[in-house]
Amino acid sequence: LNDSINDRFIKEVLPPPVFPIDKNSLYKNEKEYNYDNIKKWILREGKLSKNDIVDLIVKTTQILKEEPNVLKLKDPITIVGDIHGQYYDLLSLLDLGGNFENNQYIFLGDYVDRGSFSIEVLILLFVAKFNYPTNVWLIRGNHECRNLTSYFNFKQECEVKYDSEVYGLFMLAFDSLPLGSLINGKFVCLHGGISKLLNNDVSNNLTTR
């Protein structure tokens, strides 16, 4: 019901959807998610069903597991820092950077905690990674771990919006994230930068699993 008791002060802003997004809106075809539909659905604070978010996490985790620990990428590429659960800021950033279909992005971690929409950030980025696996790259930040997500708010967000199983699956996805990237053989992308104790030629010491 849009406004069952006629108490919405800003009536042009639609209320959050009552039910999860349906299968016809979730998928564009058998091999691709409908990114635009999902982005708009989440913008209204809509949810995916438990089965659908589990399926998305599992499929994206499999893609991440097949990637090396250190990605070897070429420009042009847009480098994005911490998002920290700010879904609406992520949309503004993507409006500036262009769509995933025609632009390459690398996200440097810290997708979760602090902001209230960490799950929404991950859903959109996992959908983008699944649809455009060679244009969207996700590496691990220090918040993509069990201790910080428990200390901050991501674990609680998962349990409120879904349950502990979804949280556990996100942790397994985080375990599979690459740790860094080398762009054009010379630019190192890491979430936390390079330690002062590292005094060797970085390019000769980067290894892949």
Side-chain angles (χ1 to χ4, degrees), residues 143-176:
H143 277 258
E144 279 68 62
C145 64
R146 289 160 183 80
N147 60 339
L148 285 185
T149 52
S150 298
Y151 179 81
F152 287 92
N153 60 301
F154 180 61
K155 182 178 182 181
Q156 183 183 29
E157 182 182 336
C158 287
E159 291 172 346
V160 169
K161 295 179 180 178
Y162 290 97
D163 56 28
S164 58
E165 181 187 2
V166 168
Y167 172 73
L169 288 171
F170 273 128
M171 293 303 105
L172 294 176
F174 292 168
D175 292 343
S176 306

Side-chain angles (χ1 to χ4, degrees), residues 2 12 14 26 33 38 43 59 63-64 74 76 79 87 94 103 107 122 128 131 142 165 171 178 180 183 203 205:
N2 287 336
E12 62 271 20
L14 296 174
L26 184 65
Y33 284 98
I38 295 169
L43 185 64
K59 290 190 295 191
I63 294 173
L64 296 172
K74 300 290 185 181
I79 301 173
Y87 179 74
L94 295 175
N103 297 278
F107 294 86
L122 289 173
N131 282 2
N142 63 305
E165 181 187 2
M171 293 303 105
I183 299 177
S203 63
N205 284 277

Side-chain angles (χ1 to χ4, degrees), residues 125-141:
L125 292 181
F126 279 21
V127 166
K129 180 63 181 175
F130 183 84
N131 282 2
Y132 310 106
T134 59
N135 274 8
V136 178
W137 306 99
L138 308 172
I139 67 173
R140 190 170 185 173

Side-chain angles (χ1 to χ4, degrees), residues 33-176:
Y33 284 98
N34 194 318
Y35 171 83
D36 290 329
N37 280 355
I38 295 169
K39 179 177 72 171
K40 294 173 184 176
W41 188 261
I42 300 174
L43 185 64
R44 291 182 53 197
E45 298 185 49
K47 294 178 65 177
L48 273 63
S49 71
K50 166 77 178 293
N51 288 340
D52 287 334
I53 194 170
V54 165
D55 188 54
L56 172 62
I57 298 170
V58 170
K59 290 190 295 191
T60 308
T61 300
Q62 187 57 45
I63 294 173
L64 296 172
K65 283 182 175 180
E66 295 172 358
E67 296 179 345
N69 268 333
V70 179
L71 304 168
K72 305 293 180 70
L73 305 177
K74 300 290 185 181
D75 66 1
I77 187 168
T78 299
I79 301 173
V80 182
D82 303 19
I83 301 171
H84 277 307
Q86 303 292 348
Y87 179 74
Y88 301 92
D89 290 346
L90 172 62
L91 294 188
S92 297
L93 184 151
L94 295 175
D95 285 342
L96 291 173
N99 61 48
F100 292 120
E101 185 175 4
N102 300 311
N103 297 278
Q104 187 180 197
Y105 283 83
I106 181 168
F107 294 86
L108 302 186
D110 279 16
Y111 313 106
V112 302
D113 290 327
R114 297 184 178 148
S116 299
F117 301 99
S118 296
I119 288 178
E120 288 76 9
V121 166
L122 289 173
I123 288 173
L124 194 71
L125 292 181
F126 279 21
V127 166
K129 180 63 181 175
F130 183 84
N131 282 2
Y132 310 106
T134 59
N135 274 8
V136 178
W137 306 99
L138 308 172
I139 67 173
R140 190 170 185 173
N142 63 305
H143 277 258
E144 279 68 62
C145 64
R146 289 160 183 80
N147 60 339
L148 285 185
T149 52
S150 298
Y151 179 81
F152 287 92
N153 60 301
F154 180 61
K155 182 178 182 181
Q156 183 183 29
E157 182 182 336
C158 287
E159 291 172 346
V160 169
K161 295 179 180 178
Y162 290 97
D163 56 28
S164 58
E165 181 187 2
V166 168
Y167 172 73
L169 288 171
F170 273 128
M171 293 303 105
L172 294 176
F174 292 168
D175 292 343
S176 306

